[in-house]
């Protein structure tokens, strides 16, 4: 998206396909001549039941950490998929011979006690004076005789005894590995233990007052905008560097201008317009159509330079791969582009610690012109605030300012029928002819097509219900209109629908029952197609607007209309998969976040999910349990998504599915066996008896057997019983096909 630049390419759909902003302007308004006023957090409306989050972030300092210049200069090295890269330092290779800390401390203590005991025996003469014969041999006898120079002998004795002491300390220090223990203690005291053993550096972006990052050379310093200077926009680079140093630029501004510059590189003819916009408006250039430059509240930690959002920290546990232990875990479009699924009972963090941070990150990316996000959740749920979105659609709520296009903004009757059929009866695919909703789509198309040919628009919900009920008046009137208009082809479609009506396996009655759930008084002013008499003054939203950097939230009326909410959730999922694939401009990352996706997964939806990876789009689904998905689709669902998360508290049956999809790995197991030693030698038997008397145990010989075998990465029992609260096990896949093993993660850290 070329936000704010002249000669911008507009969408190809009709006017109602673009998403209006909350003030009613079109999705791409003219560039404002004055900077928009910062939103007042205290005046921002909150949805019912939504708790107020933490206070707004200070301008120019992401997450209240170091200034933007220092934050941009923090190291972000390459890392494994899913690792939070801001300030990350790669963990040293694992040392298989590394001594455990407890064993190291006990060995050092025992060696110290042995050395101290030996020195005490020598010093007090319990072992005789033979150990001092080198001193006697190397010093003259006159130093030890009466009247001799005994002072020199005293000094020589101190030097000799000190040498023996140092020798004993060196010997027992080597035996007890005191040097290794001292290095570990020093590393922990100086704060280097996290870098050496935890796989990460302290996150300076979240620590106020942290040290300044080193300043790189000018051609590598992101603060100096080297790409703009190299690309012929030196004047713009000077202005932006000044804005950044003066604290008038936020991380969202920086990401948005970087995105605009990438557009200029793709279209060099836009260079002059870009430079003029920056010279005139500084950090506010190329603004988002809403004029917003940040969110009023951030509840998560974001790195917009990499488009990452942090969701937790990998446990420093042997269950995790070595390179992930202690590292921050983050998601970004390269992972969400493979779609994601999170399963866990209520209160385990699916919404507050996964869905909400992801939506928040996508809203920030939308402000930077990098993404479009559609967030769907039950009305009244604790989700992202209203003022974080360009528009909020409250279906069934009389105060909603926007409507939802039931037909997805398309003008093709077959495409509209396919999406609507998926929403109406997709959950009953196993009982339908053909095993999916295609037969239902054909029946709907046989009605929608003829109706659109006569009226120039698609039917409203009451009109479609009347046609599906097979009322003679409605069908006869439509037939007469088709004959009068010479629509022979459409007339044959209507005749085909009537021939199927009333036969065994007719799906029209089922469609009529389902559409009746949307033909309720609460929805009387919703789902009005363009051209309908009642649609005057309404502002329908369609997912055809995914080519724009939109931030949209859809509230479903789950409490009063649970079945209708499921229909609408399936409809939105079907429309998203179709519209994301049909986009002409796929440079924006499009994401649908469906909080509580119960009864929305269908065979057609799974086919749609698999197509999203190649069109720069993805879906995030959350479920309370896999029981909300039909049994035949549970395995295919886990196979269709690339990112999988199971939270604490899942049932053993759900855990078994995840354990199966994560598979097995080769591990080395050590089997230790002990057998009692029996000797016929008298001396040996006496020694064994003394040792048994001292230790209380028989003398044994230890035998160690090492073998390789395949074991489950995470067993169903481990997932169901060993996960602690606020923990989850997740695996991610990139759009390039890189996969990670399951990672035990503490959410929210």
């Amino acid at each position: 998206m070329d936000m704010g630049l002249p000669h911008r390419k507009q969408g190809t759909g009709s006017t109602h396909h673009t998403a209006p902003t909350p003030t009613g302007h079109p999705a791409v308004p003219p560039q404002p001549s004055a900077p928009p006023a910062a939103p007042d957090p205290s005046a921002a409306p909150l949805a019912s039941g939504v708790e107020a989050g933490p206070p707004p972030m200070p301008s120019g300092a992401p997450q209240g950490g170091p200034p933007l210049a220092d934050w941009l200069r923090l190291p972000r090295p390459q890392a494994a998929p899913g690792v939070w890269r801001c300030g990350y330092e790669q963990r040293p290779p694992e040392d298989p011979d590394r001594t455990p800390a407890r064993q190291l401390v006990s060995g050092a203590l025992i060696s110290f006690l042995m050395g101290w005991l030996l020195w005490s025996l020598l010093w007090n003469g319990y072992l005789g004076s033979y150990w001092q014969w080198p001193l006697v041999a190397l010093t003259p006898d006159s130093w030890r005789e009466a009247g001799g120079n005994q002072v020199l002998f005293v000094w020589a004795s101190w030097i000799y005894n000190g040498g023996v002491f140092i020798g004993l300390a060196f010997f027992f220090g080597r035996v007890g590995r005191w040097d290794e223990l001292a290095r570990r203690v020093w590393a922990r005291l100086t704060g280097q233990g996290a870098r050496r053993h935890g796989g990460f550096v302290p996150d300076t972006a979240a620590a106020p007052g942290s040290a300044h990052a080193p300043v790189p050379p000018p051609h590598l310093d992101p603060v100096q905008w080297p790409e703009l200077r190299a690309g012929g926009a030196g004047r713009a680079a000077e202005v932006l560097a000044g804005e950044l140093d003066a604290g008038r630029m936020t991380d969202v501004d920086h990401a948005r201008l970087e995105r605009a510059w990438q557009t200029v590189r793709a279209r060099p003819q836009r260079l002059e317009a870009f430079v003029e916009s920056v010279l005139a408006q500084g950090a506010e250039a190329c603004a988002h159509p809403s004029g917003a430059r940040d969110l009023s509240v951030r509840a998560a930690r974001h790195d917009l330079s990499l488009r990452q959002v942090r969701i937790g920290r990998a446990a420093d546990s042997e269950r995790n791969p070595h390179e992930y232990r202690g590292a921050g875990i983050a998601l970004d479009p390269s992972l969400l582009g493979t779609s994601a699924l999170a399963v866990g009972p209520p209160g385990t963090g699916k919404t507050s610690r996964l869905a909400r941070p992801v939506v928040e990150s996508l809203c920030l990316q939308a402000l930077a012109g990098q993404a479009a996000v559609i967030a769907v959740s039950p009305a009244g749920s604790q989700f992202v605030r209203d003022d974080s979105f360009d528009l909020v659609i409250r279906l069934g709520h009389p105060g909603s300012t926007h409507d939802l296009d039931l037909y997805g903004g398309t003008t093709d009757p077959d495409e509209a029928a396919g999406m609507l059929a998926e929403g109406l009866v997709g959950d009953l695919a196993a009982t339908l002819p053909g095993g999916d909703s295609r037969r239902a789509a054909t029946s709907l198309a046989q009605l929608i097509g003829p109706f659109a040919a006569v009226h120039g628009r698609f039917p409203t919900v009451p009109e479609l219900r009347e046609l599906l009920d097979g009322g003679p008046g409605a069908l006869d009137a439509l037939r007469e209109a088709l004959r009068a208009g010479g629509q022979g082809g459409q007339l044959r479609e209507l005749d085909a629908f009537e021939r199927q009506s009333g036969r065994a396996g007719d799906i029209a009655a089922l469609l009529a029952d389902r559409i009746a759930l949307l033909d309720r008084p609460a929805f009387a002013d919703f789902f009005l197609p363009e051209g309908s008499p009642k649609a005057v003054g309404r502002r329908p939203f369609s997912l055809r607007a995914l080519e724009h950097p939109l931030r949209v939230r859809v509230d479903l009326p789950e409490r009063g209309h649970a079945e209708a909410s499921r229909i609408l959730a399936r409809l939105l999922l079907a429309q998203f998969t179709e519209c994301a694939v049909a986009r002409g401009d796929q440079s924006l990352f499009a994401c649908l976040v469906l909080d509580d996706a119960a009864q929305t997964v269908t065979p057609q939806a799974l086919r749609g999910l698999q197509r999203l990876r190649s069109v720069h789009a993805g879906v995030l689904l959350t479920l309370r349990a896999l029981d909300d998905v039909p049994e035949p689709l549970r395995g295919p669902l886990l196979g269709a998504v690339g990112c999988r998360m199971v939270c604490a508290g899942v049932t053993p049956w759900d855990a078994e599915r995840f354990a199966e999809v994560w598979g097995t790995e080769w591990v080395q197991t050590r089997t230790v066996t002990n057998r009692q030693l029996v000797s016929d030698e008298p001396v040996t038997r006496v020694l064994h008896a003394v040792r048994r008397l001292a230790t209380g145990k028989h003398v044994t010989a230890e035998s160690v057997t090492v073998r390789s075998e395949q074991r489950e990465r995470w067993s169903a029992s481990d997932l169901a019983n060993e996960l602690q609260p606020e923990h989850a096990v997740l695996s991610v896949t990139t759009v390039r096909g890189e996969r990670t093993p399951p990672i035990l993660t503490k959410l929210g850290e």
Side-chain angles (χ1 to χ4, degrees):
M1 293 292 299
D2 307 336
M3 297 181 303
L5 295 180
H7 310 296
R8 185 186 177 280
K9 179 180 178 180
Q10 299 295 326
T12 57
S14 56
T15 54
H16 84 290
H17 293 166
T18 58
T21 61
T23 57
H25 296 294
V28 187
Q31 185 68 36
S33 57
D40 183 5
S42 62
L46 284 174
S48 175
V50 177
E51 296 180 352
M57 296 299 108
S59 176
Q63 298 300 328
L68 182 60
D70 289 337
W71 179 78
L72 289 172
R73 289 167 176 159
L74 290 174
R76 292 171 173 85
Q78 292 295 326
V83 170
W84 174 260
R85 289 170 52 188
C86 183
Y88 172 77
E89 184 173 308
Q90 187 175 7
R91 188 185 182 100
E94 187 173 13
D95 183 6
D97 299 326
R98 180 180 175 86
T99 305
R102 181 177 299 178
Q103 181 178 344
L104 194 64
V105 171
S106 61
L109 180 60
I110 291 174
S111 65
F112 170 77
L113 294 176
M114 293 176 60
W116 174 78
L117 176 62
L118 180 57
W119 172 253
S120 178
L121 294 175
L122 292 175
W123 183 258
N124 292 290
Y126 290 105
L127 298 181
S129 59
Y130 65 90
W131 62 283
Q132 292 190 341
W133 70 263
L135 174 64
V136 176
L138 295 175
T139 56
D141 294 339
S142 60
W143 290 6
R144 297 185 296 275
E145 296 176 353
N149 195 353
Q150 296 183 353
V151 176
L152 293 178
F153 182 75
V154 172
W155 278 101
S157 298
W158 277 104
I159 295 174
Y160 176 77
N161 293 338
V164 172
F165 179 83
I166 294 174
L168 290 175
F170 179 79
F171 174 77
F172 285 100
R174 290 295 299 273
V175 172
R177 304 179 66 178
W178 296 355
D179 54 341
E180 176 64 19
L181 179 62
R183 282 195 299 267
R184 293 196 193 182
V185 172
W186 176 255
R188 183 173 295 275
L189 292 177
T190 57
Q192 297 175 359
R195 292 194 294 271
R196 180 175 175 84
H197 310 311
F200 62 92
V201 221
D203 185 7
T204 52
S210 56
H212 292 278
V215 179
H219 68 283
L220 298 176
D221 190 356
V223 176
Q224 299 300 323
W225 301 84
E227 293 187 0
L228 271 66
R229 299 178 189 274
R235 292 189 300 163
E238 291 291 342
V239 171
L240 294 179
E243 293 278 275
L244 198 154
D245 289 337
R248 292 189 293 268
M249 181 180 293
T250 66
D251 57 338
V252 179
D253 294 332
H254 187 274
R256 187 185 68 251
L257 292 166
E258 286 279 4
R259 164 69 176 172
W261 176 247
Q262 296 301 323
T263 304
V264 171
R265 291 185 61 185
R267 301 177 185 175
Q269 65 273 18
R270 308 294 302 278
L271 176 61
E272 183 178 353
F274 172 79
V275 173
E276 291 179 357
S277 178
V278 171
L279 294 179
Q281 301 178 18
E284 300 175 10
C286 310
H288 185 265
S290 66
R293 298 172 58 194
D294 204 346
L295 302 182
S296 60
V297 170
R298 297 191 191 184
R301 294 155 66 181
H302 305 272
D303 186 354
L304 290 181
S305 64
L306 298 176
R307 303 173 69 178
Q308 286 190 320
V309 56
R310 182 162 176 154
I311 61 172
R313 184 187 299 281
D316 193 357
S317 166
E318 293 183 357
R319 300 298 301 263
N320 283 336
H322 177 74
E323 65 271 21
Y324 282 94
R325 295 175 190 172
I329 301 298
L331 297 177
D332 58 69
S334 69
L335 304 178
L336 295 173
T338 62
S339 295
L341 171 69
V343 178
T348 55
K350 301 188 309 297
T351 298
S352 61
R353 299 181 181 181
L354 176 65
R356 178 175 179 176
V358 168
V359 171
E360 192 175 273
S361 175
L362 292 170
C363 286
L364 291 170
Q365 293 177 42
L367 292 179
Q370 300 171 335
V373 55
I374 311 294
V376 183
S377 63
S381 63
Q382 297 182 1
F383 213 49
V384 183
R385 293 172 50 133
D386 289 1
D387 58 4
S388 298
F389 297 93
D390 298 317
L391 58 96
V392 178
I393 304 173
R394 295 186 173 91
L395 298 176
H397 193 284
S400 179
T401 58
H402 290 79
D403 194 3
L404 179 67
D405 190 335
L406 197 65
Y407 301 100
T410 184
T411 57
D412 183 355
D414 292 326
E415 186 179 0
M419 292 184 290
L420 184 57
E422 180 67 14
L424 293 176
V425 296
D427 59 324
L428 303 176
T431 63
L432 299 178
D436 55 26
S437 59
R438 284 178 290 187
R439 181 65 187 88
T442 302
S443 296
L444 284 174
Q446 291 170 345
L447 291 178
I448 293 176
F451 188 96
V454 171
H455 299 280
R457 60 175 176 84
F458 291 141
T460 62
V461 170
E463 291 170 337
L464 182 58
R465 179 184 181 184
E466 186 178 7
L467 292 172
L468 288 170
D469 283 334
L475 293 178
D476 292 344
L478 183 57
R479 180 179 295 102
E480 291 300 324
L482 290 173
R483 288 174 180 170
Q487 299 283 346
Q490 298 294 347
L491 188 59
R492 288 191 297 272
E493 289 284 288
L494 187 61
D495 292 340
F497 173 80
E498 286 192 286
R499 283 195 300 270
Q500 296 293 330
S501 299
R503 294 187 179 181
D506 175 35
I507 204 171
L510 177 60
L511 290 171
D513 291 341
R514 286 298 180 89
I515 200 69
L517 295 171
L518 301 181
D519 188 20
R520 305 289 299 165
F523 304 117
D525 296 330
F526 289 88
F527 318 125
L528 299 175
E530 187 180 11
S532 173
K534 293 184 179 181
V536 178
R538 300 290 294 175
R539 291 180 286 182
F541 167 77
S542 83
L543 273 75
R544 296 286 165 179
L546 285 176
E547 294 188 0
H548 306 288
L550 296 171
R551 303 171 296 158
V552 181
R553 195 184 79 210
V554 181
D555 288 351
L556 301 178
E558 184 175 346
R559 292 182 179 176
H561 305 274
E563 192 62 31
S565 295
R566 298 307 178 199
I567 291 175
L568 294 172
R570 288 193 298 270
L571 178 64
L572 287 167
L573 180 57
Q575 290 184 356
F576 178 84
T577 54
E578 288 293 331
C579 296
V581 173
R583 290 182 300 166
D585 180 8
Q586 296 178 355
S587 60
L588 292 180
F589 176 69
C591 188
L592 172 70
V593 179
L594 191 53
D595 192 29
D596 190 5
Q599 302 179 23
T600 61
V601 179
T602 67
Q604 192 67 22
L606 291 181
R607 285 190 284 268
L609 287 179
Q610 293 171 344
R611 293 189 298 166
L612 294 178
R613 183 179 302 192
S614 60
V615 296
H616 203 203
V619 173
L620 169 60
L621 307 172
T622 68
L623 290 171
R624 293 186 178 93
L626 288 178
D627 290 341
D628 294 329
V629 178
E631 171 67 28
L633 300 181
R634 295 172 190 173
L637 171 61
L638 290 174
V641 298
C643 303
R644 310 173 187 95
M645 173 187 287
V646 56
C647 300
V650 294
T651 64
W653 300 273
D654 287 353
E656 185 176 1
R657 290 283 187 177
F658 281 91
E660 181 181 357
V661 77
W662 280 327
T664 60
E665 63 179 345
W666 286 99
V667 297
Q668 284 191 340
T669 59
R670 294 167 56 93
T671 304
V672 181
T673 57
N674 293 306
R675 62 182 181 87
Q676 181 179 348
L677 293 180
V678 179
S679 176
D680 295 331
E681 296 292 333
V683 177
T684 306
R685 295 180 66 179
V686 170
L687 293 176
H688 286 184
V690 172
R691 184 172 177 182
R692 184 173 67 251
L693 183 63
T695 62
K697 298 180 181 180
H698 291 281
V699 179
T700 60
E702 185 178 89
S703 175
V704 179
T705 303
V706 180
R707 61 181 178 181
S708 296
E709 62 181 15
Q710 279 190 319
R711 286 186 179 178
E712 290 180 317
R713 298 179 186 272
W714 278 84
S715 68
S717 177
D718 293 341
L719 293 173
N721 302 313
E722 293 189 7
L723 279 184
Q724 299 298 316
E726 301 181 354
H727 284 74
V729 178
L730 64 91
S731 64
V732 298
T733 305
T734 68
V735 292
R736 299 177 57 186
E738 300 176 81
R739 298 177 181 271
T740 69
I743 304 166
L744 176 62
T745 304
K746 176 68 178 297
L747 298 177
E749 283 197 354

